[in-house]
Amino acid sequence: MGCIVMKFGGTSVGTTEKILNVAKRILDEKKRGHEVVVVVSAMGKTTDELLSLANEITHEPSKREMDMLLSTGEQITISLLSLAIMQLGGEAISYTGWQAGILTESVHRNARIIDIDRTKVERQLKEGKVVIVAGFQGVDQYGEITTLGRGGSDTTAVALASALSAERCDIYTDVDGIYTSDPRSVKTARKLSEIAYDEMLELAHLGAGVLHPRSVEFAKNYDVPLVVRSSMSAEEGTMIKEEVQMENNLIVRGVAFESDIVRITVTYEVPFNGSLAKIFTTLANHHIDVDIIVQSIMDGITPSVSFSIKKEDFAETIRILNSEKEVLGYTDADFEVGLSKVSIVGSGMVSNPGVAARMFDRLRQEGIPIKMVSTSEIKVSVVVPQSEMLQAANALHDEYGLSPEDAEVSL
Amino acid sequence: MGCIVMKFGGTSVGTTEKILNVAKRILDEKKRGHEVVVVVSAMGKTTDELLSLANEITHEPSKREMDMLLSTGEQITISLLSLAIMQLGGEAISYTGWQAGILTESVHRNARIIDIDRTKVERQLKEGKVVIVAGFQGVDQYGEITTLGRGGSDTTAVALASALSAERCDIYTDVDGIYTSDPRSVKTARKLSEIAYDEMLELAHLGAGVLHPRSVEFAKNYDVPLVVRSSMSAEEGTMIKEEVQMENNLIVRGVAFESDIVRITVTYEVPFNGSLAKIFTTLANHHIDVDIIVQSIMDGITPSVSFSIKKEDFAETIRILNSEKEVLGYTDADFEVGLSKVSIVGSGMVSNPGVAARMFDRLRQEGIPIKMVSTSEIKVSVVVPQSEMLQAANALHDEYGLSPEDAEVSL
């Protein structure tokens, strides 16, 4: 049997008791005959505690020193987990990012992995040890400690799995897999046994929140099968891979939704040249995250562009639009708050025309107005009133046969 | 002006407020024109917290993993101190042990420094930055993180001072210097402005407790002037160096004392060959710290050896002596508890005969019985009843003119 990479997040290793549980799981996997590499994050609250210490000193911390500070979090976890495995009779060795050969760009707080020197890790695996690697961190060519930013430990796990040609990379989380929709709001939502990278990417971007898009991209690029599963139960999780069996002939694999969306519409008196680039460049410079952009220019109609932003960026966006009005060259700006976004995702859409039409029709039947539409190869998103978000999500979940009974029927 | 190394211990950097104070002191030194390298320990309770986490997992932790765990403590401090210096307008950069080029033996928890690659530190000093190095830790030739054991941060500071040919190494502590005796028990004790390495070594071994003997030895071997001073006040400290001005013609520089000593006497029926080696090897193997050893063989008198141990090792020592009685080949073991050790230290003794005689005479006048005696070139220790320890210390402090008025008189 080959090598597998197991990744445990901060809540899974939040206490020494949980660390001992994780150690047990690791040894179970080892007993099945696998070579096991484990990637861990900092213990539950460690990162927050370190951040608050830094915050007591300065509000504008050097990124380099923050990497120095925060990288201690995973280093604590790897040593404790290694001790726990030994306590349970296993053999283990822990490595920091730099020891594990994780070379990154010379960028702090958001570095990308450039290369992995797997010499040390492979030598220890050959000796039968469980190798425990600190997630989220690496080292640049100058010997500076770097961190990978959000979702960093997932990325470390996937990168190691790729470098070691691992059979798969198991991501242990506090959920037991990827669902057709959020089970808290859509009662008939069910767990998927498989999902394609691209579908997962769209769901991740849409706020399904289990995996950081970066690690899914990485897994896709290097063709590493990912499994999302619970660290609390032995249940099978959801496998994310390239070719997905079209289980139950589902065209749509999931319904995602996101609240607190604001639509901004900017109107121009004359057709604009370059204004479109100018407005979104300005917003990007101010770190405003623009999601959907809709623009249509027709003869005889006042040219305008609409885009959606998150509610927390609303005040700042309005401030920028007002102060930069002359530079941006628009005549009028309008907005609508209290909106939400509902999306359907599925790679089956590509070969099934009419999926979007069916979505619009169902929403019309439900009496839900559509404010904006955005489509990709495997996703259709609509902006609808927030008050009708859950109704829309449930209706679409039903429409595309994602609920268990439907699923059975369509077999 | 040259380079100086400043070392701050765990209590000096115990809170972020204290770290900001330390940063201020460092910048003051920088403004005087020095190149400044700073060595810091882990924040106050960090090490204890990390130890207790490990303890929750195992009672027999791997030394390698403990080094991995504990070395995070200093890494947290260096980054916070670096942030604090920047916050106050200075320029700083922090380095872990491995980044600072501190190469050690391949031993965990008690490694010795083999070499220091000063390239990085010197480059940063040239750029005008304060360089902050994690004390207590290094890296071996295989890239494994090691720690230096007790007094480790002091050793790091002295080793760096030596490698960088620093003018001096300032050790900031919670005391403001080295005293002629413990001021809590000897009211007339006063601070020394200078003391020789060897005198400090004897005092350190005698439990003056301010500096670890290892760092003093290191400083002596590489001729690094050390200054012990308070991190709380701006007062001058005590300089430890090779040649000491014989201030006030003092023959004895200090009086040290230690309570809770037990005397063990082992008697043999026949003159023994190798038994002496056997008994102390056995005790050493059980980590029993034997201090004074007194032996005299005279015709017609039962051969015996007496030695002193600490009270906390008493039960274990008796257990070992009993269980190994046949192997050790002795006939009888006797002990006396409730003892203490009082020592006078001073390099002036070497050229002043009769220092010990004067000590014994004064103790006789005080009516204090002497149970054991041990002498070195610059030290005389006596074991006396614990109830008379402080009387003996005060009397000797007075006898050798260490109190302020005496000092003035002898000018």
Side-chain angles (χ1 to χ4, degrees):
Chain A
M1 272 201 256
C3 167
I4 63 164
V5 174
M6 304 170 80
K7 184 260 168 179
F8 295 90
T11 40
S12 304
V13 292
T15 64
T16 49
E17 200 191 333
K18 285 183 169 184
I19 288 174
L20 281 161
N21 279 334
V22 163
K24 216 172 291 167
R25 272 200 103 117
I26 292 167
L27 287 176
D28 287 346
E29 206 68 68
K30 187 92 178 65
K31 276 175 203 140
R32 282 186 207 112
H34 289 292
E35 288 184 340
V36 180
V37 174
V38 181
V39 173
V40 282
S41 306
M43 288 170 75
K45 288 174 188 166
T46 308
T47 306
D48 286 342
E49 284 166 11
L50 293 171
L51 283 173
S52 102
L53 282 174
N55 206 40
E56 282 170 34
I57 288 175
T58 178
H59 295 294
E60 288 171 298
S62 134
K63 288 182 177 180
R64 182 209 182 260
E65 298 299 337
M66 289 310 286
D67 278 356
M68 177 68 86
L69 180 66
L70 295 179
S71 61
T72 62
E74 296 83 34
Q75 193 173 330
I76 291 171
T77 322
I78 56 171
S79 52
L80 293 176
L81 182 55
S82 188
L83 290 175
I85 290 176
M86 294 185 210
Q87 173 66 14
L88 299 181
E91 281 188 275
I93 187 162
S94 68
Y95 284 135
T96 60
W98 62 270
Q99 288 179 321
I102 299 182
L103 184 71
T104 74
E105 309 167 309
S106 290
V107 165
H108 288 291
R109 303 221 65 182
N110 202 23
R112 277 165 189 278
I113 296 175
I114 294 173
D115 195 19
I116 293 185
D117 176 353
R118 52 186 205 269
T119 323
K120 273 192 179 182
V121 172
E122 283 189 337
R123 189 185 313 132
Q124 299 296 339
L125 287 175
K126 286 228 174 64
E127 289 184 12
K129 285 184 192 150
V130 173
V131 179
I132 300 161
V133 177
F136 178 70
Q137 56 179 254
V139 66
D140 74 6
Q141 58 177 319
Y142 307 107
E144 296 279 288
I145 294 172
T146 55
T147 65
L148 310 183
R150 287 189 62 192
S153 291
D154 289 344
T155 307
T156 304
V158 173
L160 273 168
S162 163
L164 298 164
S165 306
E167 267 179 29
R168 59 174 209 270
C169 177
D170 289 351
I171 308 281
Y172 287 83
T173 68
D174 46 4
V175 299
D176 61 356
I178 308 298
Y179 278 72
T180 52
S181 198
D182 184 343
R184 287 168 302 184
S185 306
V186 178
K187 294 284 167 256
T188 53
R190 62 192 180 78
K191 195 167 67 183
L192 292 161
S193 64
E194 290 182 349
I195 187 168
Y197 293 121
D198 284 339
E199 292 172 330
M200 187 62 217
L201 270 175
E202 291 288 6
L203 287 170
H205 279 296
L206 289 169
V210 179
L211 278 174
H212 196 268
R214 229 168 110 181
S215 55
V216 181
E217 265 176 54
F218 210 108
K220 175 179 150 76
N221 290 341
Y222 293 94
D223 204 16
V224 176
L226 282 179
V227 176
V228 171
R229 55 194 303 181
S230 164
S231 57
M232 300 302 150
S233 80
E235 263 186 82
E236 299 267 325
T238 300
M239 178 165 283
I240 306 160
K241 57 181 195 177
E242 195 53 63
E243 285 298 313
V244 170
Q245 229 186 330
M246 278 300 162
E247 50 172 327
N248 311 328
N249 298 316
L250 293 182
I251 294 165
V252 169
R253 183 118 11 220
V255 176
F257 44 90
E258 192 184 338
S259 57
D260 291 327
I261 302 288
V262 176
R263 180 180 67 167
I264 310 268
T265 303
V266 175
T267 321
Y268 294 82
E269 222 156 64
V270 288
F272 40 104
N273 283 320
S275 300
L276 207 59
K278 217 180 269 174
I279 195 166
F280 293 111
T281 306
T282 305
L283 291 173
N285 289 343
H286 287 81
H287 303 287
I288 304 292
D289 195 5
V290 173
D291 183 13
I292 298 178
I293 299 175
V294 176
Q295 190 216 327
S296 57
I297 300 188
M298 285 167 284
D299 282 345
I301 295 191
T302 317
S304 71
V305 61
S306 294
F307 55 91
S308 71
I309 54 169
K310 291 200 172 105
K311 193 175 149 192
E312 60 257 37
D313 288 334
F314 181 40
E316 176 72 354
T317 303
I318 292 301
R319 195 192 60 71
I320 295 163
L321 288 179
N322 281 336
S323 68
E324 309 269 324
K325 189 169 179 184
E326 268 181 58
V327 182
L328 299 175
Y330 70 92
T331 48
D332 203 34
D334 187 35
F335 60 87
E336 182 170 7
V337 297
L339 298 176
S340 67
K341 185 171 74 166
V342 180
S343 308
I344 54 173
V345 173
S347 45
M349 285 183 199
V350 184
S351 49
N352 282 271
V355 176
R358 188 169 162 196
M359 179 185 197
F360 304 150
D361 192 49
R362 177 65 185 254
L363 292 175
R364 185 192 54 76
Q365 285 173 42
E366 298 280 330
I368 299 171
I370 299 172
K371 303 285 185 166
M372 292 173 92
V373 176
S374 164
T375 60
S376 81
E377 296 267 299
I378 62 164
K379 182 190 74 168
V380 182
S381 296
V382 293
V383 172
V384 298
Q386 186 155 322
S387 54
E388 281 145 291
M389 175 180 78
L390 293 182
Q391 187 197 339
N394 275 285
L396 294 172
H397 196 266
D398 169 71
E399 180 65 32
Y400 294 101
L402 294 174
S403 309
E405 310 85 55
D406 294 332
E408 275 163 37
V409 169
S410 70
L411 266 173
Chain B
M1 274 202 256
C3 167
I4 63 165
V5 174
M6 305 171 78
K7 183 261 169 178
F8 295 89
T11 41
S12 304
V13 292
T15 62
T16 48
E17 200 190 332
K18 285 182 170 185
I19 288 174
L20 281 160
N21 279 333
V22 163
K24 218 173 288 169
R25 272 198 102 117
I26 292 167
L27 287 176
D28 287 346
E29 207 67 70
K30 188 90 179 62
K31 277 176 202 140
R32 283 187 205 109
H34 290 292
E35 287 184 342
V36 179
V37 173
V38 181
V39 173
V40 283
S41 306
M43 288 171 76
K45 289 174 187 163
T46 307
T47 306
D48 287 344
E49 285 166 9
L50 293 171
L51 283 172
S52 101
L53 281 174
N55 205 40
E56 283 171 34
I57 289 175
T58 178
H59 295 295
E60 289 172 298
S62 137
K63 288 182 177 181
R64 180 206 184 264
E65 298 299 336
M66 288 310 284
D67 279 356
M68 177 68 86
L69 180 66
L70 296 178
S71 61
T72 62
E74 296 82 34
Q75 191 173 332
I76 292 170
T77 322
I78 56 171
S79 53
L80 293 176
L81 182 54
S82 188
L83 290 175
I85 290 176
M86 293 185 212
Q87 174 66 15
L88 299 180
E91 282 187 275
I93 187 161
S94 68
Y95 285 135
T96 61
W98 62 270
Q99 287 178 321
I102 298 181
L103 185 72
T104 74
E105 309 167 311
S106 289
V107 166
H108 288 291
R109 303 221 63 181
N110 202 23
R112 279 166 187 278
I113 296 176
I114 294 172
D115 194 18
I116 293 185
D117 176 352
R118 52 185 203 271
T119 323
K120 271 191 182 181
V121 173
E122 283 190 336
R123 190 186 310 132
Q124 299 296 339
L125 287 175
K126 286 228 174 65
E127 289 185 14
K129 284 183 191 152
V130 173
V131 180
I132 301 162
V133 177
F136 178 72
Q137 57 180 254
V139 67
D140 75 4
Q141 58 176 319
Y142 306 108
E144 295 281 287
I145 294 173
T146 56
T147 66
L148 310 181
R150 285 190 61 192
S153 292
D154 289 345
T155 307
T156 304
V158 173
L160 272 169
S162 164
L164 298 165
S165 308
E167 268 179 26
R168 58 174 208 274
C169 177
D170 290 351
I171 308 282
Y172 287 83
T173 68
D174 45 6
V175 299
D176 61 356
I178 308 297
Y179 278 72
T180 52
S181 198
D182 185 343
R184 287 168 302 185
S185 306
V186 178
K187 293 285 168 254
T188 54
R190 62 191 178 78
K191 193 167 69 185
L192 292 161
S193 64
E194 290 181 350
I195 188 167
Y197 293 122
D198 285 340
E199 293 172 329
M200 187 63 218
L201 270 175
E202 290 288 7
L203 287 170
H205 279 296
L206 290 168
V210 179
L211 278 176
H212 196 269
R214 229 168 112 183
S215 55
V216 181
E217 266 176 54
F218 209 109
K220 175 177 148 77
N221 290 342
Y222 293 94
D223 205 16
V224 176
L226 282 180
V227 176
V228 171
R229 55 191 306 179
S230 163
S231 57
M232 300 302 150
S233 79
E235 263 187 84
E236 299 268 323
T238 300
M239 178 167 282
I240 307 161
K241 56 181 195 176
E242 195 54 63
E243 285 297 313
V244 169
Q245 228 188 329
M246 278 299 163
E247 49 171 329
N248 312 327
N249 299 315
L250 294 180
I251 293 164
V252 170
R253 186 123 2 228
V255 176
F257 44 88
E258 192 183 339
S259 57
D260 291 326
I261 302 289
V262 176
R263 182 181 66 169
I264 311 268
T265 302
V266 175
T267 321
Y268 295 83
E269 225 155 61
V270 288
F272 41 104
N273 282 322
S275 300
L276 207 57
K278 215 181 268 173
I279 193 166
F280 292 111
T281 305
T282 306
L283 291 174
N285 288 342
H286 288 80
H287 303 287
I288 304 291
D289 195 5
V290 173
D291 183 12
I292 298 177
I293 299 174
V294 177
Q295 190 215 327
S296 56
I297 302 190
M298 283 165 286
D299 283 346
I301 296 191
T302 316
S304 73
V305 61
S306 294
F307 56 91
S308 71
I309 54 168
K310 293 203 171 102
K311 192 175 147 190
E312 61 256 38
D313 289 333
F314 181 41
E316 176 72 355
T317 304
I318 293 300
R319 195 192 62 71
I320 296 164
L321 288 178
N322 282 337
S323 68
E324 310 271 323
K325 191 170 177 179
E326 269 182 55
V327 182
L328 299 174
Y330 69 92
T331 48
D332 203 33
D334 188 34
F335 59 87
E336 182 172 6
V337 297
L339 299 176
S340 67
K341 185 171 75 165
V342 181
S343 308
I344 54 172
V345 173
S347 45
M349 285 183 197
V350 184
S351 50
N352 282 273
V355 175
R358 190 170 160 193
M359 180 186 197
F360 304 152
D361 193 49
R362 178 65 187 254
L363 293 175
R364 185 193 52 77
Q365 285 173 41
E366 299 279 331
I368 299 171
I370 298 172
K371 303 284 185 170
M372 293 174 94
V373 175
S374 164
T375 60
S376 82
E377 296 267 298
I378 62 163
K379 183 190 73 169
V380 183
S381 295
V382 294
V383 171
V384 298
Q386 186 154 321
S387 55
E388 282 145 290
M389 175 179 77
L390 292 183
Q391 187 196 339
N394 275 283
L396 295 171
H397 196 264
D398 170 69
E399 181 65 31
Y400 293 100
L402 293 175
S403 307
E405 309 84 53
D406 295 332
E408 274 162 37
V409 168
S410 69
L411 267 173

